[in-house]
Amino acid sequence: MNAGTLFATEALLPAGWARNVLFQWDGTGTLVTVRPDAGAADAAGVPHAAGPVLPGMPNLHSHAFQRGFAGLTEYRSEPAGDGGQSDSFWSWRKLMYRFALRLSPDTLEAIATQLYVEMLRAGYTSVCEFHYVHHGEDGKPYAEPAEMSLRLLRAARNAGIGITLLPVLYQTAGFGGKPALADQRRFLHQTGAMLDLLARLAPHCHGQARLGLAPHSLRAVPPESLAEAVAGLRAMDAQAPVHIHIAEQQREVDECITLTGTRPVAWLLDHAEVDARWCLVHATHMDWDERRRLAHSGAVAGICPTTEANLGDGVFDAAPYLAQGGAWGIGSDSHASVSVAEELRLFEYGQRLGLQRRNVLASDTHHQVADRLYLDAAAGGARASGRAIGALAVGQQADFAVLDGAHPALAGLPGSQALAVHVFANHGHETLAEVRTAGRIRVQHGAHPLQPQAGERFSAARASLLTD
Ligand code: NGQ
Ligand code: ZN
């Protein structure tokens, strides 16, 4: 049994900071009591949190294998063109494909385990895994067609992080049914085969694991397949999350306009029933009308600030989107960085740099930018995960990130300012004292029990993948 209790002098509840909060959860790790202003009698005998308590943060976008070469593509790989430089998202993708082609089930599991331990240490308590390296190196399915997916589920279980597994449907190399490239052979499924894969995985997804579907992008999935796959998913699970990459690069927008006469986000909103069960990953390049329509759809914009910066995608124009009530959350995507604080900080900083203003994403309700960012990202991330997480409220899972109230950077500060320091005055993860999922302690004083073993396996796996 896993039932337990925690008392927090300050906690970030959905409506804002509350004092003297008593938390109780049941044997499944679900919160059954969240009582602010609890008295001394309530607090007696209950373990006290080490500092202000936050909801654990869902990570809404991850390609786990990309952790294996994070930081290793920061050199010029394409000859510079006329007076310009030609390295881009697309040249990075060539290097990424080279790495993807070498993965094995064992190396994938080693990389994912290390990554998920890192995520927990960074305050992420659940991850949406947008998984597309399905088949063997020759492009043929493994004897167990779900092999790679099952390894990811196992890595998440061993690390203790929640997971929304999103098997990726990938069929074409570009708009208009352009045939897939040889380098994409490990990603491909006919629509029926993808629905078979989902049926195979469904029995493995319960408790801390949820199953959804990710049509990779409008480039990789033709319209008929998109409709058929989403309908097939809905027949299995009407509420299951659907994630798609969209409008990350200007080139995608241009190609979509050339072929359909419409911009990608507008095309998707016109042709699919986009609602709160959807997550549009990146959605960087939208015009005013697309932004308004997306904000009103209830779908989540999946913002991945450090990856979008790393790949030169562009800046998501957040102020008008948030002003219209648009939902959003954060993902670590290519894992150029694995840090809740850094994603939130860079999201706000992108706006400041563009607008030449400060505290752009503060709101009337939340004058502290960090409060607003944290609550929005937790709620949007939870919606995208399709799991009962992301809020300190009855019925939600007891996922906590506890700040270290004794750390010199935070000592003596009220919760709201402590969170602002955690997000904006960079101390790495030092200011996090404890991370729990479903009530269980996964990280304490920055350390996860699997760290030494996972680290060793990771470096061995990476070394084997980088040798020629
Ligand atoms: C991916 N990553 O699927 O890993 C993509 C690159 C593509 C990002 N978009 C490949 N960040 O979009 O074609
Ligand atoms: Zn992605």
Side-chain angles (χ1 to χ4, degrees):
M1 286 303 269
N2 189 27
T5 56
L6 186 70
F7 183 83
T9 309
E10 288 187 278
L12 187 57
L13 305 190
W17 287 96
R19 296 191 60 80
N20 299 325
V21 185
L22 174 70
F23 295 102
Q24 293 180 308
W25 56 91
D26 65 14
T28 70
T30 305
L31 287 167
V32 290
T33 306
V34 178
R35 186 184 307 143
D37 305 315
D42 283 325
V46 175
H48 281 47
V53 173
L54 311 167
M57 182 63 75
N59 186 335
L60 60 59
H61 194 62
S62 163
H63 307 289
F65 79 90
Q66 293 179 13
R67 174 66 186 87
F69 65 96
L72 302 179
T73 56
E74 312 302 314
Y75 60 90
R76 184 173 287 181
S77 69
E78 301 266 308
D82 278 351
Q85 209 221 295
S86 41
D87 268 327
S88 68
F89 173 92
W90 306 101
S91 59
W92 167 83
R93 196 175 79 158
K94 282 189 211 158
L95 302 177
M96 182 271 273
Y97 281 179
R98 223 189 275 165
F99 193 85
L101 280 170
R102 309 191 66 165
L103 285 171
S104 65
D106 285 346
T107 51
L108 175 65
E109 186 177 338
I111 294 168
T113 305
Q114 166 73 3
L115 172 67
Y116 296 160
V117 165
E118 291 172 346
M119 283 188 189
L120 284 161
R121 296 179 64 209
Y124 290 117
T125 45
S126 190
V127 57
C128 297
E129 187 55 47
F130 198 108
H131 165 57
Y132 59 88
V133 186
H134 299 293
H135 308 312
E137 290 172 41
D138 56 1
K140 299 214 178 72
Y142 287 103
E144 163 54 82
E147 180 75 36
M148 296 294 249
S149 297
L150 294 170
R151 296 303 190 107
L152 291 166
L153 290 173
R154 190 153 81 191
R157 196 166 54 242
N158 287 341
I161 196 168
I163 184 167
T164 299
L165 180 66
L166 303 161
V168 170
L169 181 63
Y170 206 112
Q171 297 182 333
T172 58
F175 290 97
K178 216 164 141 196
L181 309 169
D183 279 358
Q184 296 166 337
R185 62 186 179 274
R186 302 188 71 176
F187 317 160
L188 310 175
H189 280 96
Q190 297 298 320
T191 309
M194 174 49 63
L195 295 176
D196 290 346
L197 177 65
L198 295 179
R200 216 169 236 286
L201 285 168
H204 298 273
C205 296
H206 47 80
Q208 299 265 78
R210 176 85 152 107
L211 185 64
L213 171 71
H216 181 275
S217 54
L218 297 179
R219 288 176 274 127
V221 182
E224 325 72 65
S225 301
L226 178 64
E228 193 188 332
V230 173
L233 174 75
R234 292 278 168 256
M236 287 175 58
D237 177 350
Q239 294 308 317
V242 178
H243 290 217
I244 187 168
H245 288 130
I246 199 153
E248 178 181 11
Q249 283 278 319
Q250 190 58 45
R251 182 166 122 187
E252 173 181 322
V253 177
D254 297 342
E255 288 174 0
C256 187
I257 292 172
T258 304
L259 213 99
T260 69
T262 317
R263 303 171 60 84
V265 173
W267 189 94
L268 186 68
L269 291 165
D270 287 344
H271 291 88
E273 226 184 280
V274 174
D275 58 19
R277 299 167 298 181
W278 282 70
C279 177
L280 275 62
V281 182
H282 309 301
T284 313
H285 300 283
M286 293 192 283
D287 67 16
W288 275 93
D289 197 50
E290 289 176 299
R291 197 175 300 117
R292 179 190 59 78
R293 292 177 66 194
L294 181 60
H296 291 117
S297 72
V300 179
I303 316 283
C304 307
T306 62
T307 293
E308 290 157 8
N310 186 275
L311 297 179
D313 291 338
V315 178
F316 184 93
D317 194 358
Y321 181 73
L322 270 60
Q324 294 175 92
W328 63 279
I330 51 167
S332 61
D333 191 349
S334 68
H335 318 299
S337 162
V338 181
S339 163
V340 173
E342 192 176 351
E343 299 302 343
L344 296 177
R345 179 165 68 238
L346 186 56
F347 187 45
E348 164 72 17
Y349 279 179
Q351 313 304 310
R352 293 189 192 187
L353 288 164
L355 297 169
Q356 303 179 33
R357 277 171 40 206
R358 298 193 73 246
N359 303 327
V360 177
L361 300 177
S363 69
D364 294 342
T365 329
H366 300 290
H367 290 216
Q368 283 281 0
V369 188
D371 288 353
R372 198 306 166 74
L373 295 174
Y374 202 96
L375 283 169
D376 267 25
R383 186 182 289 184
S385 304
R387 305 185 57 229
I389 54 174
L392 299 178
V394 169
Q396 306 290 307
Q397 196 167 273
D399 288 359
F400 302 116
V402 181
L403 294 175
D404 184 357
H407 190 286
L410 307 188
L413 298 177
S416 183
Q417 287 179 358
L419 178 58
V421 168
H422 175 66
V423 171
F424 287 103
N426 183 13
H427 290 85
H429 316 320
E430 257 190 45
T431 39
L432 273 180
E434 187 175 280
V435 178
R436 297 183 185 232
T437 59
R440 276 184 213 276
I441 297 179
R442 304 296 181 180
V443 172
Q444 209 161 27
H445 306 302
H448 185 291
L450 271 190
Q451 234 170 284
Q453 179 192 334
E456 245 168 66
R457 292 201 177 145
F458 169 77
S459 6
R462 183 168 70 176
S464 78
L465 290 164
L466 293 177
T467 47
D468 291 314

